[in-house]
């Protein structure tokens, strides 16, 4: 499993990091983000790519498992 720590990054950077991981890696990806706009962008990216997404909370930040 790939884990992306995007805490402290403002959008669009969390979504851009996720897009790169989806392009370069196989298997599930977890991304942590604390920008309030990140959830909307991450969900939109997952929907556009046709991959499932699950909301989590890890290390006190919003987290999402994709794939």
């Amino acid at each position: 499993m790939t884990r992306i720590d995007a805490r402290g990054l403002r959008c669009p950077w969390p979504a851009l990091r996720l897009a790169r991981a989806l392009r370069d890696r196989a298997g599930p990806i977890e991304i942590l983000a604390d920008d309030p706009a990140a959830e909307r962008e991450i969900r939109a990216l997952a929907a556009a790519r046709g991959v499932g997404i699950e909301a989590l909370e890890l290390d006190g930040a919003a987290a999402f498992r994709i794939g």
Side-chain angles (χ1 to χ4, degrees), residues 2-65:
T2 300
R3 190 173 198 192
I4 301 167
D5 188 350
R7 291 176 288 186
L9 300 177
R10 297 294 167 230
C11 284
W13 292 107
L16 291 172
R17 291 223 173 146
L18 175 59
R20 180 183 299 154
L22 286 168
R23 197 173 45 243
D24 296 343
R25 296 173 180 92
I29 300 168
E30 285 183 354
I31 182 166
L32 287 80
D34 55 6
D35 182 351
E39 180 174 2
R40 182 183 70 246
E41 292 191 12
I42 289 169
R43 287 188 180 279
L45 178 61
R49 299 283 176 102
V51 294
I53 185 168
E54 176 185 358
L56 310 167
E57 185 172 327
L58 297 173
D59 300 333
F64 306 92
R65 184 172 293 139

